[in-house]
Amino acid sequence: SYSIDATINREQVTDKAFMAKDSWIFTKERNSIGNFQNTTYFEVDELKRIKNNIIAREQWLKKQNIKFYMMIAPDKNRIYGEYYPDKIKKMGTQSQIDQIYEYIRTETNVPIIYPVEEMLNIENKGFLYYKEDTHWNNYGAYFGYITIINLLKNDYPDLKIISENEMILEEKESLGTTDLLRML
């Protein structure tokens, strides 16, 4: 349901989501706009706390004979920022997620995946996320699977990668069940 203001102004905006260019919907939650604009940063003590939590998990898993890998899924607005409204502009050079990735990559030995560059370079990136949802679609999930498997193959070279030809990837209509469409 739309707010009264959004209905009167014919804008598709709520306190949780907004309609952008070409019918793309983006979240406003978890400081998403500030993260898109690169205006929010972690303090050094916050980064250290995050690093210590990750190291504690890695050490606990190591005691269980389990190797720890970390993946950061890029935010939809990082991959599809060109669909953001023109009035919302990038201001800084690094997002909080970029900040965490660089810090963990340089301050720990935890194998970490953050496939933002790979996702930005996919020729038809319109198939990685739903336009009306914060989550990957089937093809985006397959892409995530491939990035994880490629990292795991360093430690487990016998892993078999399921090729795209072995998958059945179909585009489906959301039928109003996607998270952002419900928020809007």
Side-chain angles (χ1 to χ4, degrees):
S1 67
Y2 297 103
S3 69
I4 292 173
D5 181 53
T7 303
I8 292 170
N9 294 312
R10 297 221 180 270
E11 293 177 359
Q12 295 179 319
V13 177
T14 68
D15 59 337
K16 294 183 179 187
F18 63 93
M19 180 74 73
K21 295 177 188 171
D22 197 25
S23 299
W24 282 80
I25 304 174
F26 292 94
T27 184
K28 290 171 72 179
E29 294 187 320
R30 298 176 309 280
N31 193 31
S32 181
I33 293 173
N35 284 326
F36 169 77
Q37 293 179 304
N38 299 328
T39 57
T40 308
Y41 302 100
F42 287 110
E43 298 293 330
V44 173
D45 61 322
E46 293 173 300
L47 289 170
K48 286 180 181 176
R49 199 169 34 252
I50 292 167
K51 176 188 82 171
N52 291 338
N53 285 335
I54 290 169
I55 289 171
R57 285 187 174 102
E58 178 191 36
Q59 290 172 349
W60 184 87
L61 288 166
K62 189 174 188 174
K63 288 178 185 174
Q64 315 306 312
N65 259 350
I66 300 170
K67 183 152 180 149
F68 179 64
Y69 301 86
M70 182 174 170
M71 179 174 188
I72 301 172
D75 284 336
K76 177 177 152 180
N77 65 20
R78 179 74 160 94
I79 305 303
Y80 298 108
E82 69 268 23
Y83 294 104
Y84 248 57
D86 292 333
K87 64 183 177 183
I88 302 175
K89 305 224 182 282
K90 288 204 178 275
M91 300 169 79
T93 57
Q94 187 181 47
S95 71
Q96 281 184 315
I97 294 175
D98 295 333
Q99 195 182 9
I100 289 173
Y101 171 70
E102 286 301 319
Y103 192 79
I104 298 306
R105 190 179 64 77
T106 58
E107 297 292 323
T108 74
N109 292 320
V110 172
I112 186 168
I113 306 165
Y114 178 47
V116 69
E117 292 304 320
E118 294 89 338
M119 291 179 91
L120 287 169
N121 291 323
I122 289 179
E123 195 169 311
N124 185 1
K125 55 185 178 162
F127 294 109
L128 296 174
Y129 289 77
Y130 293 106
K131 289 172 83 169
E132 303 167 340
D133 199 293
T134 55
H135 301 94
W136 289 338
N137 61 20
N138 289 340
Y139 189 70
Y142 177 73
F143 177 83
Y145 157 78
I146 291 296
T147 60
I148 292 169
I149 290 295
N150 284 334
L151 177 65
L152 292 174
K153 281 189 79 61
N154 292 331
D155 293 320
Y156 307 98
D158 294 335
L159 278 177
K160 180 187 180 303
I161 295 178
I162 298 171
S163 73
E164 195 171 335
N165 296 339
E166 297 174 87
M167 304 286 291
I168 299 172
L169 301 172
E170 3 178 275
E171 250 185 270
K172 292 186 176 186
E173 291 294 321
S174 66
L175 303 174
T177 60
T178 59
D179 63 352
L180 292 174
L181 192 57
R182 279 193 319 267
M183 289 179 195
L184 196 58

